[in-house]
């Protein structure tokens, strides 16, 4: 294992401290327990909080700021944050209009966020993301996994919350975006969890893992390596089978890198996916290409499609000012 | 070699087409010869044009747009674009105030941009970037290599050009930023050029290449793997030896990933570098962390420090709207 680290035990604190220092104009870091908030507390809005295991950066801390999250709770690598982090974060950012948790569907995250929700002295609700169409249940999951589509949920709900919308409206929009979003990924290499020191799974130089999870969980099947168009065709077919879009539907297309795949290849995947979606009669009106939900040092990528409507498109386009997504401000 | 590609010969066109489609609100792609321009031609300004071999994305195409480049010419992977690309790009974006080429110091790029400059029927000048302090001459270079500091030159000069400043002023500011910018990188793995199909160099699981170039060129020395703080200490020492900043100097700190290094590690490097710079009495007032000048699929990172002054800081902060850098608009 070759990584830029000092001691395995210090990775999280050192990396979070670096993030906080590099983006001190946007975020503040609390160390005991770990959570990030916006530097300037927002008032008169639902507090939007997310969190999850580290190793998926920029998810979630990179999405804190105007138009998106109020706080994020980073757990240890691939490990859920604990309820005390969530409670402390909620205490810090609650602004009188309730708290909305956005939680990726993994057993540990669901359990801990539920525990926090029960103990929270404020009105609260939870949006559970489950956009990964690869498998129904998985290593750490009952039901579908929440993956890169979570970024879209956080952006859209974060925008609505800035308008002063109430908790029920934010929850409803989050659930709607999740239900209109489908993702699937493919791995060319495993990731290596620092504390383990060796790859999570073995994969041959001639193989790929179709439908891989963002922790290296197994997908649908191990396959022989194929060309990009053939891989994209399978991912898009699985996504469209789930979304069942009507002809002429307007979509957002996200090509997400898992970390080690160069932008050059991600744009090649975009080219391939866009042609396929257009051939299916879909209109791609919004796009995002880059490393937005990663899996430590895995080589691989996922495709996410969201069916847009006027409301979702408007909240996607609205101003956002975070470390990893920024436009119109 | 496992990559998301169809045929090696089509990688460039497919990737450029994907980039153009994903960012059609910002750029337009010309295919014969290959060059990108802003979607909306800018008027009454010096036309800022860059280019170089592909494989360094988002450099340079990701920096086309308001506040930065007017056009970029992508060559084949790690290969200079040709003069006809530069001439056609200049013809497309020249707006009556001359053309400024921003060129990384590699022999092929220098030769081809010089040839284009001689044939260009417009007033023109060139800023040659040479921020890499690792080695004086190198595989493809006489003199120091131009690396991630090029992004800072492009941002700052691009901002000045938007104000209507003349060619001499843009050239002078570019040279100034370059002279106040120093970088050095380190590789943990080689990159693999698709047409070669095998790693550019061999490197052991216990080694690193200190001072590596962005094409995998040799650096200062091959070393045993060390912890992040020790690696950063060497990079920062080389940079400060070059810049010789006075106590209290204000700097921009860029931690640049070469592609395969996760953001979590880049922020850990930021944390380490920031502490060192502060211990040297420097004030880090601007920061950038991410994959801004890559080396195909190499695992590794570089550190860049720019000595700021009021003029450079102002043009760094000004609005920019490109695929890879966007703020204030």
């Amino acid at each position: 294992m070759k990584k830029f680290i000092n001691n395995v035990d210090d990775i999280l604190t050192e990396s979070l401290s670096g993030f906080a220092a590099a983006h001190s104009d946007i975020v503040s870091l609390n160390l005991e327990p770990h959570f990030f908030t916006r530097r300037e507390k927002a008032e008169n809005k639902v507090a939007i909080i997310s969190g999850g295991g580290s190793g998926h950066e920029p998810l979630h801390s990179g999405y804190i700021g105007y138009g998106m999250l109020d706080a994020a709770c980073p757990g240890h690598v691939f490990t859920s944050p604990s309820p005390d982090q969530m409670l402390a974060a909620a205490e810090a950012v609650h602004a009188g209009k309730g708290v909305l948790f956005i939680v990726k569907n993994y057993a540990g995250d669901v359990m801990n966020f539920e525990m926090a929700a029960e103990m929270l002295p404020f009105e609260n609700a939870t949006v559970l993301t489950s956009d990964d169409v690869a498998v129904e249940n998985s290593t750490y999951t009952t039901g579908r996994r929440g993956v890169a589509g979570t970024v879209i949920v956080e952006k859209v709900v974060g925008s609505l919350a800035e308008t002063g919308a109430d908790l029920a409206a934010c929850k409803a929009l989050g659930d709607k975006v999740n239900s209109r979003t489908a993702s699937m990924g493919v791995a060319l290499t495993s990731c290596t969890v620092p504390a383990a020191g060796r790859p999570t799974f073995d994969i041959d130089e001639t193989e790929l893992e179709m439908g891989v999870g963002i922790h290296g969980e197994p997908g649908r099947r191990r396959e022989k390596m194929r060309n990009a168009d053939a891989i994209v065709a399978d991912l898009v077919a699985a996504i469209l089978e789930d979304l069942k879009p009507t002809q002429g539907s307007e979509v957002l297309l996200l090509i997400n890198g898992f970390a080690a795949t160069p932008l050059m290849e991600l744009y090649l995947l975009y080219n391939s996916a866009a042609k396929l979606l257009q051939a299916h009669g879909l209109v791609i009106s919004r796009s995002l290409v880059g490393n937005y939900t990663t899996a430590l040092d895995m080589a691989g990528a996922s495709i996410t499609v969201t069916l847009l409507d006027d409301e979702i498109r408007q909240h996607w386009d609205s101003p956002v000012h975070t470390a990893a997504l920024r436009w119109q401000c």
Side-chain angles (χ1 to χ4, degrees), chain A:
Chain A
M1 176 182 72
K2 277 202 285 192
K3 290 178 185 287
F4 291 117
I5 60 176
N6 290 305
N7 303 302
V8 167
D9 292 345
D10 299 332
I11 293 176
L12 190 63
T13 304
E14 291 179 6
S15 181
L16 298 181
S17 299
F19 180 85
H23 303 292
S24 60
D25 54 329
I26 302 176
V27 300
S28 297
L29 171 61
N30 189 82
L31 276 173
E32 301 276 347
H34 287 326
F35 64 87
F36 285 104
T37 63
R38 297 190 194 182
R39 183 181 155 178
E40 314 273 345
K41 182 178 172 177
E43 300 293 345
N44 296 316
K45 68 183 283 294
V46 173
I48 312 287
I49 302 177
S50 191
S54 292
H56 305 301
E57 293 70 23
L59 198 74
H60 297 271
S61 309
Y63 304 121
I64 295 170
Y66 180 80
M68 230 165 150
L69 301 179
D70 291 280
C73 305
H76 282 279
V77 172
F78 291 177
T79 305
S80 172
S82 56
D84 65 309
Q85 293 174 260
M86 300 154 191
L87 288 167
E91 189 70 52
V93 300
H94 182 247
K97 297 197 69 170
V99 169
L100 183 69
F101 289 135
I102 299 179
V103 182
K104 301 191 300 304
N105 186 37
Y106 296 98
D109 293 301
V110 171
M111 184 180 73
N112 287 336
F113 273 102
E114 270 179 5
M115 218 179 292
E118 278 165 23
M119 295 162 74
L120 207 62
F122 317 123
E123 186 192 14
N124 67 82
T126 296
V127 171
L128 210 59
T129 64
S130 55
D131 53 308
D132 189 345
V133 302
V135 290
E136 188 49 41
N137 299 311
S138 182
T139 316
Y140 312 112
T141 325
T142 303
R144 288 164 33 158
R145 303 174 295 213
V147 290
T150 307
V151 177
I152 299 165
V153 172
E154 292 181 357
K155 169 68 183 80
V156 170
V157 173
S159 167
L160 178 64
E162 296 294 348
T163 68
D166 67 15
L167 182 62
C170 291
K171 153 86 174 151
L173 181 60
D175 287 341
K176 180 172 97 168
V177 176
N178 183 58
S179 74
R180 295 168 70 100
T181 297
S183 303
M184 192 157 130
V186 56
L188 303 190
T189 69
S190 175
C191 50
T192 296
V193 175
R198 53 184 164 66
T200 303
F201 58 91
D202 293 317
I203 185 163
D204 199 80
E205 184 57 29
T206 64
E207 293 176 324
L208 59 82
E209 179 71 26
M210 178 60 68
V212 72
I214 56 172
H215 310 93
E217 311 97 296
R220 289 188 173 186
R221 54 189 178 269
R222 183 65 57 93
E223 292 177 359
K224 282 290 162 196
M225 187 66 193
R226 292 178 293 153
N227 72 29
D229 284 347
I231 295 168
V232 167
D234 276 6
L235 296 175
V236 167
I239 288 167
L240 296 186
E241 190 183 309
D242 181 75
L243 290 178
K244 298 186 175 53
T246 53
Q247 283 273 325
S249 292
E250 184 189 343
V251 301
L252 183 162
L253 171 58
L254 161 59
I255 304 293
N256 172 61
F258 285 149
T261 292
L263 213 42
M264 193 176 190
E265 293 176 45
L266 297 183
Y267 280 115
L268 190 149
L269 293 175
Y270 180 93
N271 186 56
S272 181
K275 282 183 184 167
L276 262 185
L277 294 177
Q278 284 155 358
H280 277 88
L282 302 179
V283 178
I284 303 164
S285 74
R286 297 296 181 274
S287 301
L288 194 66
V289 181
N291 294 323
Y292 291 100
T293 300
T294 61
L296 285 171
D297 53 353
M298 185 186 283
S302 61
I303 298 178
T304 298
V305 175
T306 296
L307 299 176
L308 297 175
D309 61 13
D310 289 346
E311 182 184 31
I312 299 174
R313 188 193 330 97
Q314 172 205 325
H315 289 297
W316 177 257
D317 288 345
S318 64
V320 61
H321 183 171
T322 69
L325 274 193
R326 184 170 178 183
W327 52 70
Q328 308 292 354
C329 65

